[in-house]
């Protein structure tokens, strides 16, 4: 008798081409955004292997592998990484390492050993102290000349309109984490089953403060439009924020 096939499968794409995660941590995007593409372009010439944090089914990892990079694909959910490995062409697999685990607390690397790190659409699931730990750890892991690439959601989404007044009040009051939302279902009940309750919408001053304090030189930091997002999530061209930073 043939044993039952227990392999996890990649879900069918949503209407906008995104893929639901298997662990209710949002969606993997259909293709690399401009900052992930900058990681893919840099990865080939990076001074060491490249870490893709929260890689899901490999939207950025597979592109970086195709581009000749050595990639360490990390995710909380090992099933995502198994699917990623199956999607990688056989001739690229010797440059792919799978690393399941909770970034930044449960994974580790020798100091100065990584060429580039991408944290794409993952940090908005972290509270403030976890973002600070991530910044400090990545700075230690990067080799001289290595770069960090971050993409996160901002408070400027179509689905966070009811949160704007709170966000603006917190900014005015000098709150260190003005975009922190403890129960996302209040703002986006439609997606409460595919998102964790804590969401942390990140803005430019918050990212600048955290990454400068951790010892990075910020090369690029700006909000950008997500025409690829579902229509109700789009707002006015400020939906995502991207950061490129190097080690001081
Ligand atoms: C919204 S998806 C983003 C996937 C992909 N990076 C992209 O840009 O489309 C978030 C992914 O990050 C993973 N993730 C969330 N928190 C994580 C953590 N602390 N450490 C590692 N992976 C994490 C989730 O399992 C999920 O696969």
């Amino acid at each position: 008798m043939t044993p039952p096939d227990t392999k996890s499968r990649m879900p069918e794409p949503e209407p906008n081409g995104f893929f639901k995660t298997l662990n209710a941590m949002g969606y993997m995007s259909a293709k690399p955004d401009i900052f992930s593409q900058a990681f893919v372009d840099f990865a080939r010439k990076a001074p060491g292997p490249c870490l893709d944090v929260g890689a899901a089914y490999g939207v950025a990892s597979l592109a970086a592998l195709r581009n000749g990079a050595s990639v360490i694909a990390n995710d909380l959910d090992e099933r995502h990484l198994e699917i990623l490995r199956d999607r990688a062409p056989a001739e690229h697999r010797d440059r792919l390492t799978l690393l399941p685990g909770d970034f930044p607390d449960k994974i580790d690397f020798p100091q100065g050993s990584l060429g580039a790190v991408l944290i794409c659409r993952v940090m908005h699931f972290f509270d403030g102290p976890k973002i600070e730990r991530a910044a400090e750890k990545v700075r230690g892991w990067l080799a001289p000349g290595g770069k960090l690439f971050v993409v996160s959601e901002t408070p400027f989404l179509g689905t966070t309109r009811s949160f704007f007044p709170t966000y603006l009040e917190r900014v005015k009051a000098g709150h260190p984490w003005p975009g922190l939302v403890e129960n996302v279902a209040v703002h986006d009940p439609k997606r409460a089953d595919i998102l964790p309750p804590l969401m942390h919408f990140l803005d430019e001053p918050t990212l600048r403060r955290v990454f400068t304090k951790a010892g990075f030189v910020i090369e690029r930091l700006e909000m950008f439009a997500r025409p690829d997002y579902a229509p109700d999530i789009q707002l006015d061209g400020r939906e995502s924020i991207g950061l490129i930073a190097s080690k001081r």
Side-chain angles (χ1 to χ4, degrees), residues 23 25 27-29 54 74-76 80 101-103 120-121:
N23 58 349
M25 286 237 157
Y27 302 82
M28 184 184 83
S29 48
N74 155 259
D75 204 282
L76 264 185
H80 295 169
D102 186 353
F103 164 87
C120 183
R121 303 178 54 248

Side-chain angles (χ1 to χ4, degrees), residues 215-226:
F216 283 95
V217 177
I218 295 178
E219 296 180 3
R220 192 170 168 193
L221 175 58
E222 67 202 33
M223 292 186 280
F224 63 100
R226 297 307 302 237

Side-chain angles (χ1 to χ4, degrees), residues 1-244:
M1 207 169 95
T2 325
D5 181 4
T6 53
K7 259 182 136 175
S8 300
R9 293 186 197 288
M10 189 163 161
E12 290 301 312
E14 301 291 307
N16 65 343
F18 280 36
F19 298 88
K20 262 186 187 162
T21 53
L22 299 175
N23 58 349
M25 286 237 157
Y27 302 82
M28 184 184 83
S29 48
K31 57 183 182 80
D33 58 75
I34 47 175
F35 284 86
S36 306
Q37 188 57 49
F39 163 81
V40 169
D41 294 341
F42 179 74
R44 181 182 38 198
K45 51 181 194 253
C50 301
L51 172 67
D52 182 6
V53 172
Y57 315 115
V59 58
S61 287
L62 296 177
L65 282 172
R66 262 197 309 277
N67 224 11
S70 292
V71 175
I72 303 164
N74 155 259
D75 204 282
L76 264 185
D77 196 317
E78 200 162 357
R79 295 170 298 174
H80 295 169
L81 298 179
E82 282 161 7
I83 294 168
L84 187 164
R85 184 195 49 223
D86 290 348
R87 297 181 74 212
E91 66 270 26
H92 296 167
R93 285 193 198 149
D94 61 333
R95 285 183 282 108
L96 172 66
T97 305
L98 305 184
L99 183 67
D102 186 353
F103 164 87
D105 298 319
K106 300 285 184 233
I107 64 169
D108 206 5
F109 298 93
Q111 296 288 295
S113 64
L114 296 179
V117 177
L118 172 68
I119 313 171
C120 183
R121 303 178 54 248
V122 179
M123 222 173 232
H124 48 242
F125 300 133
F126 295 179
D127 64 14
K130 190 165 179 172
I131 294 175
E132 289 178 331
R133 291 197 298 283
E136 274 161 35
K137 288 220 174 166
V138 169
R139 189 185 174 277
W141 295 338
L142 278 175
K147 285 187 202 250
L148 166 67
F149 302 78
V150 177
V151 175
S152 265
E153 309 306 21
T154 71
F156 308 110
L157 303 175
T159 44
T160 50
R161 282 189 175 88
S162 65
F163 173 64
F164 290 166
T166 309
Y167 168 73
L168 294 173
E169 260 168 44
R170 287 176 178 172
V171 169
K172 210 166 146 195
H175 192 298
W177 309 108
L180 189 70
V181 165
E182 267 152 18
N183 183 4
V184 78
V186 172
H187 307 291
D188 196 354
K190 199 171 132 192
R191 294 186 184 80
D193 61 336
I194 179 72
L195 288 171
L198 184 144
M199 288 292 294
H200 198 163
F201 302 109
L202 291 164
D203 61 11
E204 204 177 308
T206 307
L207 289 182
R208 187 176 298 285
R209 183 190 76 235
V210 171
F211 286 92
T212 305
K213 186 169 165 231
F216 283 95
V217 177
I218 295 178
E219 296 180 3
R220 192 170 168 193
L221 175 58
E222 67 202 33
M223 292 186 280
F224 63 100
R226 297 307 302 237
D228 51 341
Y229 278 7
D232 64 319
I233 303 180
Q234 292 182 41
L235 185 71
D236 58 4
R238 296 181 292 167
E239 295 85 7
S240 280
I241 186 160
L243 166 92
I244 303 178

